[in-house]
Structure formats: C-alpha cells, structure tokens
Amino acid sequence: MVIGAGQAGLSSAYHLRRRGYLPGDGFVVLDHSPAPGGAWQFRWPTLTYGKVHGMHALPGKELVGADPERPSSEVIGAYFADYERSFALPVHRPVDVVAVRAGEGDRLLVQTSAGDWSARAVINATGTWDRPFWPSYPGQQTFTGRQLHTAQYPGPAPFTGQRVVVVGGGTSAVQHLLEVAEVAAATTWVTRRPPVFRTGPFSPEVGRAAVALVEERVRQGLPPRSVVSVTGLPMTEAMERARAAGVLERLPMFDRLTPDGVAWDDGRTVGADVVLWATGFRPVIDHLAPLRLREEGGGIALDGTRAVRDARVHLVGYGPSASTIGANRAGGAAVREIHQLLGQPSPAGV
C-alpha cells in the first residue's frame, strides 16, 4: 500500500512496478487529493514554474518544455497526470486514510474513507501540506485583522494597500514578502532566528552535509527539521533588489499580538491589517498513531526509510527525503527493502 501520490508516492509506485509488482493485487496507491499533482496543485497562482525552488523530475521521465511563466500548479499537475498514465500507475482518489493498525496475521489494516485494505507493507508518502503549523502567541484571539497561513496564501493582489506582517524565515516567507511588498501599504518581516542567506553555488558536498544533519535527527527519533533550515536561503537577484530596497529588513519575533497589530516587550509596536504565517508544516503521520511508531523525542525513528519500530512501514518524503530528489531516491530504497522483507525474487536487471 502506497499512501500519497505526490513526488514520493509516485516514485515509490514506479519502483514497485519496475520490481514486477502489478497494480491491484501487487500494490495500491491511495491519494486524498482530488487530482494529480500532490501538494503542488494547491500552490498559489503567482508561484510560476520558473520560480519553483528545486523541482526534480520523477524517475524515468523528465519534465521538458514547461513554460516558466505558467503556474507551477498547472505545470506539475499535468506532469504528474502524464506520469501516472505513462507508467500505468492507477491512483485511487480521493481517498482519505483514517488509520493504519495491526491486522490479522502479519498484515496491516489500512482503514480509509473507501473501505478497509489489508497490506503486507505500507509506504507512507503523505508529505506535510495538510498540516500547516500555526504558532501560538498571546493576543491571537484579540487581533482584529486577518490571519492566514502559507497554505491559504492567494497571491499578492488581496493585500493591496494593507499593512502586512510576514512571519517566518524560510523560502516561502521570502517569496510572499517580495510579492506582497509590491502592492502593500507596508510590510514587516519577523523571524525567530536571524535568516542565513547563502550565496554561490550549492555544491553536492554542502547538500550531503545538510541531509546528514536532518537524517541524524530522524535516526534519533526527533521531529525532522527541513533541509532549508540547515542550508540557508539562496540569495537570488530578486532578493538582492529587495534587500537594497529595505524589504528584507528583518525584526526579531514579536512577543504578542494586539487588536491592531503586533508588539514587543521592549515597547515597540507595528500596526497590521494582516498577519501572514509562513511558519512551515509538520509531517502528516497521525493516521500511523495506532502502530505506536513515535519515540520519546516526538518523531518516528528511521533506519533509512524503514520505521525502527515496525519493519513493514516505510516513510518516504519524511525528514532527509523531503526534497524532490530525496523522495525519488527514498522511493527506490523503500521498495528494495520491502521486496526483501516479502522474500520476493528480483526480476532480471533490477
């Protein structure tokens, strides 16, 4: 059973098919989204394909000829749909997975909105988009303006003429800030830690070191951090212009919200009509709770992609494999281990 049909889920399905497993009795892919495209289909319209940060092609089929000015939701949605057709990877959607628990014998019981399934192994590829993280700060209930998360970001137009506070130090926060600053009456950028901007090429060595740090946290059973939190923000030409214009002037995190803005304990205040929380996402893994996979540190300890507490469960697109290229590699690794777990002979050449 593959749960999720984003980059990680489709990569896993591709490798299952390549190993000789057939859709239906060999493996099943479930996805709760209404259409192909994973979380990409929900991205804001101004995130064009040319602005996408590090989209890597799925295994076996390159994404070629895409218009960089077209919304990434359309480009990648169409690419994923074509990928599913090309490799005959039928996806059951929309199907919500409610819980995965111990079933009869050595099987897992996957309970869904479309009925129950019995599986010998599960690849969880549910990503993070459906679990936006909203920090809790005093005064949130009294703020009379609008609060929204990256998951609800509609593009810059609705912020025209408004005072906007953007919260967060990641790539999405900076993208929102640069767009909103073009139309807003004023913008304020706040982060918990001073942002680290990276210039120059992103070498393979730097990438491997960053992934290793995230991987170590997951191995210890701690909640994973994003790879971007380790690598820093890549400084682009647009960001250079924004910094020169004063848009990237960052303030430390405020201490509370007030009815008409935000405030710090040192007496500083900023008026705001909107607080935009670009504060990231958390892994969607609550449906795995009946299996009791979590460690004391709050995360699921993995050995590669395999859950340490249950060898039948693999997490792809979690922690160090949360990038698009990482998800591709992890999909293949998970399938290799499951293939061995099930005691199946490998097809020639695999």
Side-chain angles (χ1 to χ4, degrees):
M1 177 70 71
V2 179
I3 305 175
Q7 185 99 15
L10 291 183
S11 169
S12 300
Y14 167 87
H15 287 289
L16 283 166
R17 190 75 192 252
R18 189 164 175 261
R19 285 271 175 183
Y21 296 90
L22 297 179
D25 58 351
F27 71 94
V28 171
V29 184
L30 307 180
D31 187 33
H32 90 128
S33 296
W40 291 101
Q41 65 194 277
F42 306 114
R43 297 296 203 271
W44 52 98
T46 50
L47 181 62
T48 58
Y49 184 64
K51 295 179 182 178
V52 166
H53 177 63
M55 168 64 193
H56 196 274
L58 285 159
K61 190 177 183 66
E62 294 293 324
L63 200 175
V64 296
D67 181 356
E69 299 302 317
R70 189 180 174 196
S72 61
S73 58
E74 296 179 6
V75 171
I76 299 175
Y79 169 54
F80 279 20
D82 181 58
Y83 190 87
E84 292 175 16
R85 290 190 299 269
S86 297
F87 292 103
L89 302 174
V91 177
H92 298 257
R93 60 166 63 93
V95 176
D96 296 318
V97 175
V98 178
V100 181
R101 61 182 74 248
E104 295 182 0
D106 291 330
R107 289 180 171 268
L108 294 164
L109 176 65
V110 183
Q111 298 175 307
T112 82
S113 60
D116 295 347
W117 303 72
S118 175
R120 297 177 67 190
V122 165
I123 295 177
N124 191 79
T126 46
T128 62
W129 183 261
D130 295 309
R131 197 182 168 202
F133 174 63
W134 293 75
S136 178
Y137 277 85
Q140 276 178 301
Q141 302 305 316
T142 66
F143 178 63
T144 57
R146 185 160 58 110
Q147 298 183 62
L148 70 159
H149 190 274
T150 288
Q152 304 159 316
Y153 178 67
F159 304 98
T160 301
Q162 297 186 317
R163 300 165 300 167
V164 182
V165 174
V166 178
V167 184
T171 303
S172 293
V174 174
Q175 289 177 345
H176 299 339
L177 181 66
L178 267 58
E179 288 191 346
V180 170
E182 296 289 331
V183 300
T187 58
T188 303
W189 184 30
V190 298
T191 68
R192 283 191 304 148
R193 293 181 294 271
V196 176
F197 293 98
R198 173 174 50 81
T199 58
F202 186 68
S203 68
E205 292 76 17
V206 172
R208 283 192 290 270
V211 169
L213 290 173
V214 179
E215 191 171 33
E216 181 57 30
R217 284 183 60 86
V218 171
R219 189 177 294 113
Q220 295 175 9
L222 298 172
R225 291 176 60 189
S226 68
V227 175
V228 172
S229 71
V230 179
T231 62
L233 293 163
M235 179 60 71
T236 65
E237 292 183 7
M239 291 164 65
E240 290 278 14
R241 292 192 297 269
R243 184 162 63 178
V247 173
L248 289 183
E249 292 296 327
R250 167 260 179 193
L251 294 178
M253 193 63 203
F254 51 75
D255 295 294
R256 62 191 177 280
L257 284 80
T258 64
D260 58 358
V262 298
W264 289 258
D265 286 344
D266 62 7
R268 177 170 36 185
T269 62
V270 169
D273 303 299
V274 181
V275 175
L276 174 53
W277 298 92
T279 45
F281 300 79
R282 297 294 183 266
V284 178
I285 53 176
D286 286 351
H287 55 284
L288 300 178
L291 297 176
R292 298 183 178 180
L293 303 178
R294 288 184 187 268
E295 305 294 332
E296 290 185 2
I300 297 177
L302 300 183
D303 182 358
T305 63
R306 173 175 50 81
V308 170
R309 291 182 177 268
D310 195 325
R312 300 169 297 177
V313 180
H314 286 252
L315 278 71
V316 178
Y318 177 87
S321 65
S323 66
T324 54
I325 187 170
N328 283 358
R329 294 170 176 167
V335 169
R336 280 195 299 274
E337 284 215 25
I338 289 173
H339 192 69
Q340 293 171 1
L341 175 72
L342 302 184
Q344 301 293 328
S346 295
V350 177

